[in-house]
Amino acid sequence: MEQKVKIGLIGLGTVGTGVVKVLKDFENIEIAKIAVKNINKKRDIENLDQSILTDNPFEIVNNPEVDIVVEVIGGIEPAYDLLKTAILNGKHIVTANKELLAKKGQELFNLANENNTVILYEAAIAGGIPIIMPIKTTLAGNKIRTIEAILNGTTNYILTKMEKDGVSYEEVLKEAQKLGYAETDPTGDVEGFDSAYKIATLATIALNQRVDINKIYREGITKISAKDMKFAKELGYRIKLIALAKLTEDNKADVRVHPMLIPLKDCLASINGVTNSVVLEGFPVGRVMFAGPGAGMFPTASSVLGDILAIAKSIGSSEMLPLMKCAHSVNALQIDINDTINKYYIAITASNTPGVIGNIGEICGRHNISLASVLQKGIDEQNTADIVVITESCKEENIKSAISELEKNPNILKINNIIRVME
């Protein structure tokens, strides 16, 4: 009779509950122990064996019977200490912890290699979307040069709703919080931290260079207005929070998270609501897109389950899942945001004065910036107008210099927003 693989589960929140529910259909896998904060809390799990619950997670990582530790609690501590202990005890790891991987991944992966254990983390990047396994296996022969991704469902929901209903960021955020799409403190999502953690790991795998989370430029969606959404659409774009990673011609890594105007014809422009998507471009595959649920109980549990089964089938091998192990020895040379080249959307409130658009063009020209399009909207009661400019590709530092001069011009009353534009 086949020996059961024993799982130790750390965390029984939304994802942990999903994992327990889906694992009941697999007779070769047994949940030996589950670590929770409160043993007496009522759980939405039918026939849950209370005897396997513990409030001491070290009972799991030090348990000699546990083969695989599944960590779904998030954060750095105590997750880091627990997984480090588990690896030293020869246990394999499945985690959904994007922050831990971004900040401590290199150390944990090196430790796992030394102990012939494996860390799988499909659920940490894009919820239910399979992306790490395909990159490591099916796409292994490709030289991937670009990643363009929507990796946070909360921000994508907010931006989709803002565009559809023409309402403010603040109004949609309140609604998202009521519906459970946004946390009470939404900072991790709306300021881009969540996406930055995910792109740090995804870029490391896809670009085959170690990416430093501390060198990733990050900008959230809190400055996006309903007007920005409207103007972008009139110009043929849609605004999304994009996690971007690409290799420059001299093999440096350009990795960042910020809002972007996406052309309506681009596949990412059609990703709405809480859906996530990852677009990879490389040779020889060309451009491929993955899309699906980026969060939720069962989509995320699906990815966790896939990792558990992959390890379970390999237990007993002389070398565990060699393709899935970390083999990155090169630290990426990451370029500063000021050295990046982009197109830009600039939203301006200006006096209704003859020649003001000419002033904008002249100032941009002095900083080696060409204008691709200009949109001027009606005059209001204060005799001011909204002017929106889309530039041609130029260096970030040139845009900053031009904005500084524009702000000093008496006819320019306010620079409302500057958003990069996807080409």
Side-chain angles (χ1 to χ4, degrees):
M1 186 175 179
E2 185 181 5
Q3 188 174 357
K4 286 189 176 183
V5 172
K6 294 194 175 182
I7 305 296
L9 176 62
I10 302 175
L12 198 54
T14 300
V15 177
T17 297
V19 170
V20 173
K21 288 182 175 181
V22 297
L23 276 178
K24 66 181 175 58
D25 295 326
F26 293 84
E27 294 182 357
N28 64 321
I29 299 195
E30 175 187 339
I31 301 177
K33 210 76 178 172
I34 304 174
V36 296
K37 279 187 178 180
N38 181 1
I39 290 179
N40 299 315
K41 181 179 176 181
K42 191 173 181 181
R43 313 280 172 182
D44 180 28
I45 301 173
E46 190 177 349
N47 300 322
L48 177 65
D49 182 0
Q50 296 293 318
S51 69
I52 65 172
L53 299 183
T54 178
D55 57 8
N56 179 10
F58 282 94
E59 284 187 22
I60 289 175
V61 297
N62 288 317
N63 185 337
E65 292 189 352
V66 168
D67 301 299
I68 305 171
V69 172
V70 179
E71 181 270 312
V72 289
I73 55 174
I76 300 300
E77 292 295 351
Y80 170 70
D81 200 18
L82 288 166
L83 296 195
K84 187 175 178 180
T85 303
I87 293 167
L88 289 171
N89 285 333
K91 303 187 187 308
H92 306 293
I93 306 297
V94 174
T95 179
N97 194 333
K98 65 262 183 178
E99 182 180 4
L100 181 67
L101 292 174
K103 294 179 177 179
K104 297 287 189 179
Q106 180 173 348
E107 185 176 341
L108 289 174
F109 286 125
N110 287 345
L111 191 64
N113 286 347
E114 291 167 10
N115 288 272
N116 193 29
T117 65
V118 67
I119 303 172
L120 299 188
Y121 46 93
E122 193 69 73
I125 307 302
I129 303 173
I131 187 68
I132 299 301
M133 192 75 79
I135 290 173
K136 289 271 199 173
T137 56
T138 314
L139 298 173
N142 282 264
K143 174 73 171 179
I144 296 172
R145 299 203 65 87
T146 305
I147 308 166
E148 297 163 349
I150 295 170
L151 294 175
N152 184 270
T154 298
T155 52
N156 205 44
Y157 173 84
I158 291 171
L159 293 173
T160 300
K161 195 76 172 172
M162 284 175 67
E163 181 192 348
K164 181 182 176 184
D165 296 349
V167 292
S168 69
Y169 160 79
E170 291 80 10
E171 192 174 335
V172 179
L173 174 60
K174 286 180 183 177
E175 180 186 330
Q177 288 170 323
K178 285 181 182 177
L179 293 171
Y181 292 145
E183 302 287 345
T184 304
D185 178 3
T187 304
D189 294 319
V190 300
E191 294 293 357
F193 287 98
D194 179 79
S195 294
Y197 297 147
K198 292 171 178 176
I199 195 65
T201 300
L202 183 57
T204 294
I205 301 305
L207 304 183
N208 204 32
Q209 302 181 27
R210 289 193 188 276
V211 171
D212 185 347
I213 181 65
N214 299 305
K215 296 178 182 178
I216 294 178
Y217 175 81
R218 175 191 51 76
E219 182 183 320
I221 66 166
T222 56
K223 295 177 184 177
I224 306 294
S225 70
K227 272 188 177 181
D228 291 325
M229 306 299 287
K230 180 184 174 186
F231 293 154
K233 195 168 185 180
E234 288 185 37
L235 290 161
Y237 297 93
R238 186 164 282 141
I239 300 175
K240 301 289 185 184
L241 182 68
I242 298 296
L244 176 70
K246 57 185 178 181
L247 291 176
T248 62
E249 290 187 3
D250 55 355
N251 214 41
K252 292 180 181 177
D254 177 4
V255 188
R256 40 192 160 116
V257 172
H258 52 64
M260 294 192 84
L261 270 70
I262 312 298
L264 290 174
K265 64 183 180 181
D266 190 282
C267 55
L268 282 174
S270 65
I271 302 300
N272 293 320
V274 295
T275 303
N276 281 196
S277 181
V278 179
V279 176
L280 303 176
E281 189 168 347
F283 180 81
V285 73
R287 189 172 167 90
V288 292
M289 178 180 184
F290 301 77
M297 178 185 291
F298 290 118
T300 309
S302 168
S303 290
V304 172
L305 176 62
D307 285 347
I308 290 171
L309 294 177
I311 294 173
K313 289 176 182 176
S314 300
I315 284 178
S317 302
S318 58
E319 186 178 6
M320 286 291 300
L321 296 169
L323 282 176
M324 298 306 297
K325 289 189 175 182
C326 178
H328 307 103
S329 57
V330 177
N331 292 323
L333 293 173
Q334 291 170 244
I335 64 174
D336 187 83
I337 190 66
N338 288 320
D339 295 324
T340 64
I341 295 174
N342 312 274
K343 289 184 175 182
Y344 296 85
Y345 159 102
I346 307 171
I348 299 167
T349 300
S351 300
N352 182 31
T353 305
V356 68
I357 291 179
N359 290 161
I360 294 170
E362 289 171 7
I363 291 170
C364 287
R366 281 198 287 273
H367 295 274
N368 296 315
I369 300 166
S370 299
L371 304 186
S373 59
V374 179
L375 176 68
Q376 180 173 342
K377 305 304 287 184
I379 313 305
D380 65 13
E381 294 176 358
Q382 285 76 42
N383 200 35
T384 66
D386 286 319
I387 299 172
V388 176
V389 170
I390 302 285
T391 74
E392 297 287 2
S393 296
C394 59
K395 210 169 184 180
E396 175 98 9
E397 63 180 5
N398 291 1
I399 277 288
K400 289 182 176 178
S401 299
I403 293 299
S404 180
E405 187 174 344
L406 284 167
E407 288 175 332
K408 295 172 185 175
N409 188 290
N411 292 325
I412 306 297
L413 304 179
K414 187 180 180 183
I415 306 294
N416 298 305
N417 215 341
I418 306 157
I419 308 173
R420 296 164 193 88
V421 179
M422 184 176 286
E423 299 188 49

